Amino acid sequence: MKAKKILSIGLVTALTTSMLLAAGGCNRVVTPPEYPSETGSETPSEPEKKGGLEDGSVVIDDNFDDGKYAGWGTYSASGGSFKIGVEEGELFVDIASLGSLEYSVQVFKDGYPLSEGAVYTMEFDIRSDIERTLEWRHQINGGDYHAYYMEKDVAIGPETKHISVDWTMEDSSDPAPRLCFNLGAQGGLEGELPHKVYIDNVKLTVKDGSNALVPEELEPPVAIKVNQIGYLPDSEKVFTAPYDENVSEFTVKDASTGEVVYTGTLKGERLHSYSGDGSQRHGDFSDLREPGTYVISIEGYEDSYPFTIGENIYADVYKATVKMLTLQRCGTKVDKETGGVFLHRPCHMGEAVIYGTETKIDVSGGWHDAGDYGRYVVAGAKTVKDLFLAYTENEAATGDDFGIPESGNGVPDILDEARWELEFFLKMQADNGGVYHKVTCENFPGVVMPPDEIEQLVVCPISTTATGDFAAVMAEAYVIYKAIDADFANQCLEASKKAFAYMEKYAAADTEGFKNPEEIATGEYPDASNKDEFLWAAVELFLATGDNQYLQKAIEIEESGYSLGLGWASMGTYPAYDYLLYMKNGGEGSDRLQLNFMNRLNKLGKNDLNVLEKDPYFVSLKDNYYWGSNMGIADNGIFYHMMYNLTGEEQYERYSKRAIDNLFGINPAGYCYVTGFGTHSPKHPHHRPSQKMGEAMPGMLVGGPDCYLEDPYAKAVLAGKRGGLCYIDNDSSYSTNEVTIYWNSPLIYLLSLQQ
Ligand code: G3I
Ligand code: 9MR
Ligand code: ZN
């Protein structure tokens, strides 16, 4: 409705999606947990399938009278340019350029559900300064973005038009659809520009809800959590179950015969869960060594998922996690033998234009980052480093028979795979030594196979984080490939030195890090601090060459502050560990640097141990599950193993292994988070090839719980959930259910230790 003054204005720059939604977050007010209660003694009630919605119930009711437009956002692509805001109680869209697509100018509303079988009345008022048309639609917000209901070519002009339509939702219920007003180019429309369109009194009501199917509540996880893949015969074998004063015993039963093969006592300690799923406790059946497939049974609870005790039980998942990288290869075909249904023609073979120039270069190769097909240097560097660690730590485990194209060539497959990325990296280095941050198209593609993303590739500007990472992995590549292919190794070392020289010139001046250029909407990988990357480069170059200038630089950076970590942004733990191991093995260097590194790692390690000992799921995140939390858990597994190697303290080794138990099922949501493995694993990852083929590519670790609810689907279905329960197996939820090369790689490392 119209009001007198201009109340608020939002500005949209081209090619960004701005979410004007209420922010999620773990410090948000949460509703109390529904399951299980703090005593943990209740089993969950069966989810009900409720039928029907009340007639007349209001789903959307926005009249903009308060000047706000919560839940509304904008998307623009292919040249659309516009602003939105509220003026006199109406939502206005001030269009400067239509772009080339209907949705080049898109105003949308999120945050409402649609129920299958319901008859809705959709109403709104609309007018425009000029005679033009618009398209409006309710659509799925992800995947193929198909419409549930839409009208095209609706004529509008200066006279307010009241639209009122009844329609039936025929698709499956969708808890997070999107209502879109597409105001870009409509079949040759060339109206006067700029012009304004005004939207008001947007209302969606249930006209007839008698046949509506209301979605079931999310099914609660099975209460007894086990490592769904299983346990090695001589390993410690633990599980997690709700704390319950009424029972003290558990049994392990043969999964097929039901015969009890082991009886044990549940541990007494009551462990607080940060995920709102009640107190928990542990059980231990390490003494059971007999190979077989079993379940855990506790009176009053559903049996656990089955698990296996046996030698080599991680061999298949290990190979599959490595092969995922092969299947993510870009600039090549994936044949049927390697890829099965995920085979495809060579992809992304065209030259890429260097941003802001007309120069085109060949940057083919490397791995697709994730569910999208971008190739990002900082992400690739972490992945390569984890593969190097797996190789140097346990060379025996890095076989030559993983079923990748180079299998059987006499070089460990893990090194063949890493080299695929390194060859691409070499193409990403500019003449001045700097390394381009990434190569992607301007926007994320739709749900298409890799060769069907055919938009122009753009090489984005050099970043110091990419350059530092590049220098580090290239220096280590020299060491690793020296005996395999000396020419390649030398090429890596030269490239590393060149990148390092660039860092010496430009790193200090760069305090902001890479930012997406205006037209580019793909993954940003922002990171304002390049010190850890620079430190990493200095340490690896010192280890590769023994040259003191690099050691001096490492000392200087270390003393000026940097962040530890094994992620794509903070990576200081890699150089710290590599240097400490070198010194431990009798290397010559700076004792002071050794002491500083060790002090920092010890502090971090001890802090973690304190939390880990009290956490039911063996993680130190407490309730802070962020985007890619499974990487955090896997990275910590690496860190604890590093600490074990450095200190010999058994507790670290114990928790390093527990990271695998967590990822394979002992977590709040009860998933084995690797596609294709375990009984309850993700089936609908946000991964375009999997979405396109209608089945999950195996061997991929999904991102896992993200309590900040960073996509519309997660916002809709996970509201009120906490910590490790903020996970949803739906391909629209890119913030919890995407996959990436650098979430797989720490798991590859952990599994390599178990071979
Ligand atoms: O780590 C902090 C945590 O300490 C803090 O408490 C919390 C709340 O502010 O935020 C955490 O940071 C999060 C960060 O990931 C952790 O790495 C950010 O909120 C979160 O937005 C950020 O998400 C990143 C996401 O891109 C969006 O930029 C993911 O790490 C990153 O893995 C993901 O990467 C995408 C690429 O852009 C594109 N390709 C797919 C890939 C995977 O989804
Ligand atoms: O598919 C994209 C995924 O690979 C990214 O990690 C994610 C975060 O940047 O974004 C996904 O793309 C979504 C985009 O950000 C917003 N519109 C919907 C896209 C996915 O359906
Ligand atoms: Zn490709």
Side-chain angles (χ1 to χ4, degrees), residues 14-161:
L15 300 165
T16 55
T17 301
S18 64
M19 292 300 194
L20 306 171
L21 307 173
C26 305
N27 47 6
R28 65 188 196 268
V29 180
V30 288
T31 51
E34 295 138 36
Y35 155 77
S37 67
E38 258 311 297
T39 66
S41 58
E42 292 161 27
T43 40
S45 55
E46 283 296 307
E48 271 171 41
K49 181 108 182 168
K50 296 169 231 151
L53 276 179
E54 211 175 302
D55 292 354
S57 50
V58 177
V59 187
I60 299 174
D61 190 6
D62 285 341
N63 60 21
F64 311 107
D65 279 0
D66 59 1
K68 300 204 174 98
Y69 46 107
W72 290 80
T74 57
Y75 178 77
S76 84
S78 307
S81 165
F82 62 107
K83 300 186 254 188
I84 66 168
V86 172
E87 206 172 73
E88 303 195 7
E90 287 178 303
L91 184 74
F92 72 80
V93 190
D94 189 353
I95 304 168
S97 159
L98 295 169
S100 56
L101 306 166
E102 278 149 332
Y103 60 89
S104 292
V105 175
Q106 181 181 83
V107 180
F108 64 76
K109 159 91 183 172
D110 284 348
Y112 66 99
L114 287 176
S115 299
E116 182 181 344
V119 183
Y120 291 98
T121 301
M122 176 70 200
E123 291 171 275
F124 58 92
D125 292 334
I126 189 150
R127 68 192 168 88
S128 158
D129 288 346
I130 62 159
E131 301 289 342
R132 60 160 297 162
T133 55
L134 95 150
E135 173 186 288
W136 66 272
R137 46 199 270 146
H138 290 273
Q139 66 181 31
I140 186 168
N141 187 21
D144 62 1
Y145 294 96
H146 69 265
Y148 298 131
Y149 180 81
M150 76 158 168
E151 291 198 339
K152 279 175 109 58
D153 302 322
V154 179
I156 52 174
E159 197 71 4
T160 298
K161 186 165 194 170

Side-chain angles (χ1 to χ4, degrees), residues 17 75 141-143 145 178 370-372 444 521 523 627 686 688 734 738:
T17 301
Y75 178 77
N141 187 21
Y145 294 96
R178 177 168 281 187
D372 67 318
F444 288 118
W627 191 321
H686 182 80
R688 286 165 177 78
Y734 49 84
E738 192 167 6

Side-chain angles (χ1 to χ4, degrees), residues 328-332 344-349 365-368 373 375 450-451 453:
Q328 293 287 106
R329 285 190 191 181
C330 187
T332 182
H344 64 74
R345 290 171 284 120
C347 57
H348 303 102
M349 300 299 284
W367 300 303
H368 300 136
Y373 302 138
R375 286 167 289 148
E453 187 185 41

